[in-house]
Amino acid sequence: MRIVPWNRADLNQVDTLPVAIMSLPDQITRRERLKSRGLPIDWVENFWPATDFRSARAEDLNRIVNLDEYASFTGEPFRAAVVGCATTHHNLAKWLASTNFPMLFVLEDDVIPAVRDLADRIIWAAGRLEALATGGDAFICHLGVRPEQLDQSLRRPVNSSSPENNEGRLWLHVDPRPTIWRAHAYLITRAAAMRTLDRETRLLSVADDWIRRRNLGLIDEIYVAEPRIFTQDELIPSTLGTPPISIPQPMQEVRYKNIFASIKFRIKMRLARHQHMKPISI
């Protein structure tokens, strides 16, 4: 398996893992910083141009996302820059669905490599999941979950017939609670991309609300690589702006509007706790 920039990948070479670094065209400093951190120059220079909605009006955004529905679910407005971010991730899914590649490797432009053997670790994670991806499974594999978020999540270890990496392992996230966030580094399958295009004619969630996306059926599974392969730069200013309210804590319990949803959530929690740490084979 070779990692190749998305716009340089041969569509007939299915053993290729295309990579797309999403970046606003005016964020030159961010991309130069990626190069200085050791990301391959061709990955960076062939970045995916992010959608710029930083100055968009609400009436324009409402054609893309149901702003009232989003606000009622999250308790905060869907900010213009956040819509642009979610639209960029959606457009990447649209591109993947138009190809024959089983997976796409997605990065945001504020990542920091957390390992030295970067390409080898990515290929290792993709290789372990390749059979599932080519078989049509709809999932993502998060490559940058914070250790404290993973420690608090109900999860199952993944056994695979692929060669093991003594320095890493994969987990299947089975927790119905919103315990993991961020979309700065992940693998997504073509099946998940096609599912997203089919069901998300208007944006249904922010890009990194993986639990909501799983609940909506946009993906079936969430895998996590441990230790994380990427971290995210917390020091540079976000292009999304300042949130109007604090971001929900990972372990905050979900509040449901009716008793039936509450019962369903409790059943999911009991099942997840029963499965917790029980190995699965792929």
Side-chain angles (χ1 to χ4, degrees), residues 191-205:
M194 295 178 69
R195 181 94 59 83
T196 297
L197 295 184
D198 181 57
R199 301 187 182 185
E200 198 175 41
T201 53
R202 294 174 81 188
L203 295 179
L204 299 174
S205 84

Side-chain angles (χ1 to χ4, degrees), residues 66-78:
N66 188 322
L67 298 177
D68 293 335
E69 179 182 339
Y70 177 83
S72 68
F73 176 78
T74 63
E76 68 173 60
F78 208 146

